Amino acid sequence: GIWFTVTGIAMSTTLVNILLIERAYLAYGRKRWFLVFSVVIGIVPTPIYLATAYLTSNSGISETYGCVVEFTNYLPYVRLFLDIPCNIVCSIVFVSVIFRQYQKYGDDCWKKVAHNGIITMLIVVLSNITCFIINQIGFMREGASSVYLVDW
């Protein structure tokens, strides 16, 4: 049950990355190098993370949290370092495309899209960092590992 959840969350992120990569690929004029680079940083990490999680984690029952997975201490770092490159690339692509559109058309609408998009990116980063910190300080004891996984 819980491993289906772990796999489902990982696959959900991969599918979102595929959509973002496809949009970025089109925005960058269908450059093949960009597509290959994006696939390597946006899709390849999922099987690496899943293999690491399956091979190094244990599942069990907790009186407080029910079914839990005991992740190794370094698993959140694995996820973080696998996610960072794709997040950076997608953020740069978003900002550059919106900036180009704003320069080209000068419409206030593009300015609002850029502003709201940047705020959204910052909220995502804040959420990632908050969940990572909760996990690392053990705030929720047995459930702390799940906080960062759910943030994914």
Side-chain angles (χ1 to χ4, degrees):
I2 196 142
W3 290 114
F4 289 118
T5 303
V6 171
T7 303
I9 292 171
M11 294 307 298
S12 171
T13 299
T14 301
L15 294 173
V16 169
N17 285 347
I18 289 170
L19 290 173
L20 292 173
I21 289 167
E22 187 257 346
R23 293 292 155 197
Y25 172 68
L26 294 175
Y28 268 74
R30 301 175 189 246
K31 295 178 181 167
R32 190 173 302 267
W33 70 266
F34 183 81
L35 179 63
V36 171
F37 175 73
S38 297
V39 166
V40 168
I41 66 168
I43 299 171
V44 171
T46 299
I48 294 170
Y49 175 80
L50 287 174
T52 305
Y54 291 145
L55 296 173
T56 64
S57 304
N58 298 309
S59 60
I61 303 294
S62 162
E63 289 183 23
T64 307
Y65 297 100
C67 189
V68 296
V69 176
E70 296 174 10
F71 297 110
T72 59
N73 290 336
Y74 63 84
L75 193 62
Y77 292 101
V78 171
R79 183 186 155 222
L80 184 68
F81 291 122
L82 292 175
D83 282 352
I84 284 176
C86 189
N87 290 343
I88 289 172
V89 168
C90 289
S91 297
I92 289 170
V93 168
F94 171 80
V95 170
S96 67
V97 167
I98 296 301
F99 186 70
R100 275 189 275 145
Q101 294 297 328
Y102 179 64
Q103 281 184 323
K104 187 174 182 178
Y105 299 110
D107 191 10
D108 199 39
C109 177
W110 288 110
K111 185 177 180 180
K112 288 180 184 177
V113 169
H115 179 263
N116 293 341
I118 290 169
I119 288 174
T120 301
M121 286 186 288
L122 292 174
I123 289 170
V124 168
V125 168
L126 179 63
S127 172
N128 293 153
I129 291 170
T130 302
C131 290
F132 185 78
I133 290 170
I134 287 172
N135 178 278
Q136 293 306 303
I137 65 172
F139 177 69
M140 294 179 58
R141 294 184 187 90
E142 300 160 328
S145 297
S146 300
V147 171
Y148 196 64
L149 180 66
V150 169
D151 180 56
W152 192 347

